[in-house]
Amino acid sequence: MGMGTADDLADVLIVGAGPTGLVLACDLARRGAAVRIVDRSCAPPRTSRAKGPNARSLEILDDLGVAEEVLAAGSAPLPMLKYRHRLPVAETDPWADSAPSPDAPYARGRLIAQWRLEEILRDRLAGYGIRVELGREVVGLAERADRQQADGRQVDVTFAEGRTERVRYVVGCDGAHSSVRKLLGIGFAGTTAEDQVMVCGDVDLAEGALDRTRWHQWFDEDGAVMLCPIPGTRTGWWFQAGPERDGRGRPLTPTADGFRRLLARHTALPGRALTRAELLSTYRVNVRMADRFRAGRVFLAGDAAHVHAVAGGLGMNTGIQDAFNLGWKLGLVLAGRAGAELLDTYEEERLPVAARTLDLTSERLRATLEAIRRPGGGLDAAITPDTTGLGVGYRWSSLARDRAGASQRPGGGSPDIPQRPGDDSTDTSRQPGDDSTGIPQAGDRAPDAPCVDAATGARTRLHRVFAGPRTTVLGFGPGSEAALREVAAAYGDVEVRTCRVYASYEGGARSGPGAAVVDDEGHAAAAYGTGAFGDTGTGAVVVVRPDHHLGLCAPADDGRSVHAYLRRLHGSERFSGIGGRRP
């Protein structure tokens, strides 16, 4: 049996090469981590499955440098054409009122086959010299002491072929039936609704059989068929339907002929219009979540950690956002720039988000099932502002700091954290971004804003400034310049970048460390509410985490808080003079 040596010890082994695993691998690779990614499939899957990234996931893909390719390969979400008894009865475009705004340039998600999204991410990963190791199934995990490692621990990973290899960390991104989760003995509590069943597959329809600019939905009293065109194909469609049933009412196994019968029963198309059907599966509504997202040096992300109703399209997207939360934390710890306790914040932040997502999708499913009982009802009932992902934040997190250094916990007591599904002890209806002032708080997603590069005069936006594996410190107002200089001297531009945000009325030379942008239309100041930081006019300093969430918002003269927060993320700085003295 082979065993990896200390010299070839990988930093992170990712198990599962779906969107969650690939996003995590790309994020770690650009941070210089020695990352490997394995998948038990012998070839990349060609299933279309998830219908695409939502608005927040597009921001993450933009940060990773692949958003333009995803946009080109996909299509905008389509209007929904609803039928009853084979006749069209209503058309709805749930995204009709969605438009880009200064703080959120992606107003809606994108339709793209999952295999195509994975292909784009694999190509990006290959650019870092990393390829998915196919046909490798993990069958054993054991954490043990290792005197050769500075932190004294490692994980032995055993594969089905009998080889055991050593790595520093493992992340299970291997789906709802996760081998990693089962090997850890982590519970996956929840429910399976045996009566809520759907058959799915990728099909081809005869060319011209249906208008490919619509998502067609037939809902009758005795069943349903839904057909959505797959972008990038000429005749390919996502097929979803209520199943055929036997004489005792039990769902039948999906077959191509069964799909043809369903098509003929509910639509005006003949069964022969369906020319190909593959990747057939039966879907049952599962609402389950892992008891914990971490066991020592092994983490769970995506469907391995949580599964829920498909309503709202949040499955793949929640996994992508898990990966983006975990990647920068692992990167900093592996680089020795943060203590291992930073990794505790992954579960602290993402488990409550998963719990609320389970509640949200269950509610959207209930609303959809109610809507389709009436002619004209359809899947648009599942689409709400919640499903964009833009409102998700972590105000309860220990990484969300006010200027005094305390966590942003309402009333100074227990954090306002969504609980597990069905737990009524906390109001889970509260949105992470809710605030009567409209000003983002620590923990919230950092707003975007169009602006001008002060050096080149080219148009840019704040999320472009944030892009890449670094923390960003924004300075608003002349009083912020001293704090920015001290941050730059302390951390350089490798781990922490600084960016002075000039108002359009600020004249004079624009100089200093780091980047500089001109808020020529005032959108950045409006988005960050920089006028709310006291009456001194000194300005504000905002620390933006590498995953686009606000860590700290403080007056520009409060260098002590900036110092303390950056130490939490990046360890001791080279220069200890931020704020004049250590806290």
Side-chain angles (χ1 to χ4, degrees):
M1 180 173 66
M3 180 73 76
T5 67
D7 290 338
D8 61 12
L9 192 67
D11 287 330
V12 182
L13 176 73
I14 298 168
V15 183
T20 300
L22 289 167
V23 165
L24 179 59
C26 288
D27 196 20
L28 287 168
R30 66 177 179 169
R31 297 174 189 280
V35 61
R36 293 171 54 200
I37 179 168
V38 301
D39 198 283
R40 64 183 174 186
S41 299
C42 292
R46 294 289 292 184
T47 179
S48 296
R49 289 183 290 179
K51 291 185 174 64
N54 63 11
R56 175 59 186 143
S57 291
L58 283 172
E59 291 183 341
I60 292 169
L61 296 171
D62 193 5
D63 193 289
L64 295 176
V66 298
E68 288 187 8
E69 193 170 356
V70 170
L71 293 173
S75 72
L78 301 176
M80 298 177 180
L81 182 57
K82 278 78 71 72
Y83 301 78
R84 197 77 160 189
H85 305 305
R86 301 184 178 185
L87 298 174
V89 293
E91 182 171 323
T92 305
D93 184 352
W95 299 276
D97 295 330
S98 300
S101 61
D103 66 333
Y106 298 109
R108 60 188 73 176
R110 198 75 174 168
L111 288 177
I112 183 172
Q114 184 169 321
W115 68 264
R116 182 68 183 104
L117 175 61
E118 291 173 356
E119 186 176 67
I120 291 169
L121 288 167
R122 283 196 305 272
D123 288 346
R124 183 64 171 176
L125 190 59
Y128 297 108
I130 300 169
R131 298 189 181 278
V132 177
E133 301 171 35
L134 295 167
R136 305 211 69 195
E137 181 179 1
V138 173
V139 297
L141 294 168
E143 184 174 332
R144 69 181 187 86
D146 184 352
R147 294 180 181 177
Q148 298 181 56
Q149 299 306 311
D151 50 14
R153 306 294 295 176
Q154 68 173 37
V155 184
D156 287 348
V157 183
T158 303
F159 292 90
E161 68 269 24
R163 180 177 175 84
T164 297
E165 301 173 13
R166 297 174 181 171
V167 298
R168 292 184 173 88
Y169 292 95
V170 174
V171 185
C173 304
D174 49 342
H177 302 289
S178 170
S179 296
V180 171
R181 187 187 65 242
K182 293 173 182 176
L183 289 168
L184 295 173
I186 292 177
F188 203 45
T191 60
T192 299
E194 295 293 342
D195 59 329
Q196 294 176 344
V197 183
M198 182 169 62
V199 292
C200 313
D202 287 4
V203 306
D204 277 350
L205 298 181
E207 193 165 359
L210 280 177
D211 178 4
R212 291 183 64 84
T213 67
R214 298 292 183 273
W215 185 345
H216 302 268
Q217 302 169 14
W218 293 264
F219 293 106
D220 296 323
E221 293 83 352
D222 62 342
V225 168
M226 292 153 278
L227 283 163
C228 182
I230 301 173
T233 67
R234 198 173 55 164
T235 58
W237 298 76
W238 281 290
F239 182 100
Q240 299 166 286
E244 293 187 299
R245 297 181 182 270
D246 63 16
R248 299 174 62 181
R250 296 174 299 192
L252 295 176
T253 301
T255 64
D257 284 341
F259 279 16
R260 292 185 179 99
R261 287 190 293 269
L262 288 167
L263 189 72
R265 180 184 307 161
H266 294 287
T267 82
L269 298 172
R272 64 178 180 276
L274 195 154
T275 59
R276 176 190 66 93
E278 58 184 32
L279 303 168
L280 311 186
S281 63
T282 298
Y283 168 80
R284 287 177 172 81
V285 175
N286 280 283
V287 180
R288 297 182 180 274
M289 191 168 74
D291 296 339
R292 49 203 168 108
F293 288 7
R294 179 187 184 186
R297 289 178 163 259
V298 185
F299 299 82
L300 299 175
D303 286 354
H306 43 75
V307 293
H308 45 77
V310 295
L314 292 175
M316 178 188 74
N317 288 291
T318 304
I320 287 174
Q321 291 149 34
D322 286 345
F324 205 54
N325 182 284
L326 179 59
W328 68 273
K329 297 171 182 177
L330 272 172
L332 284 176
V333 171
L334 287 165
R337 299 304 300 164
E341 64 273 9
L342 180 63
L343 299 176
D344 295 336
T345 67
Y346 169 64
E347 179 177 295
E348 177 191 358
E349 293 183 340
R350 292 305 297 175
L351 190 149
V353 169
R356 188 177 186 285
T357 301
L358 266 61
D359 285 337
L360 171 63
T361 54
S362 294
E363 167 56 26
R364 289 299 87 207
L365 176 62
R366 185 207 60 75
T368 301
L369 293 175
E370 178 67 26
I372 64 176
R373 294 192 182 117
R374 303 182 300 273
L379 301 185
D380 50 300
I383 306 300
T384 71
D386 291 321
T387 59
T388 66
L390 296 172
V392 173
Y394 312 114
R395 289 189 184 180
W396 62 82
S397 170
S398 60
L399 295 182
R401 316 298 285 185
D402 63 21
R403 62 177 297 188
S407 295
Q408 298 274 39
R409 296 183 174 183
S414 299
D416 184 13
I417 304 176
Q419 302 297 308
R420 292 179 181 276
D423 185 341
D424 295 329
S425 62
T426 299
D427 177 13
T428 59
S429 65
R430 176 183 177 274
Q431 287 300 294
D434 284 351
D435 186 78
S436 59
T437 66
I439 298 170
Q441 297 182 23
D444 293 350
R445 165 189 165 274
D448 202 353
C451 45
V452 173
D453 187 306
T456 67
R459 294 215 63 82
T460 185
R461 49 192 176 91
L462 288 184
H463 275 213
R464 293 290 187 201
V465 175
F466 303 158
R470 292 178 288 182
T471 297
T472 304
V473 180
L474 298 177
F476 292 86
S480 69
E481 292 174 3
L484 295 182
R485 284 194 299 271
E486 290 167 347
V487 168
Y491 293 97
D493 195 45
V494 177
E495 298 166 1
V496 182
R497 85 196 72 187
T498 60
C499 180
R500 172 74 161 89
V501 182
Y502 288 93
S504 59
Y505 55 78
E506 289 187 81
R510 288 166 181 155
S511 62
V517 296
V518 180
D519 185 20
D520 62 326
E521 297 174 340
H523 292 302
Y528 286 83
T530 54
F533 292 92
D535 299 323
T536 62
T538 56
V541 177
V542 178
V543 180
V544 181
R545 300 169 9 168
D547 60 352
H548 310 162
H549 285 270
L550 301 180
L552 174 75
C553 307
D557 58 3
D558 187 10
R560 171 191 286 268
S561 293
V562 177
H563 168 95
Y565 191 81
L566 292 177
R567 277 213 316 170
R568 174 76 192 277
L569 296 191
H570 297 277
S572 298
E573 65 287 333
R574 296 193 301 268
F575 171 72
S576 60
I578 299 179
R581 56 191 176 92
R582 289 185 180 276

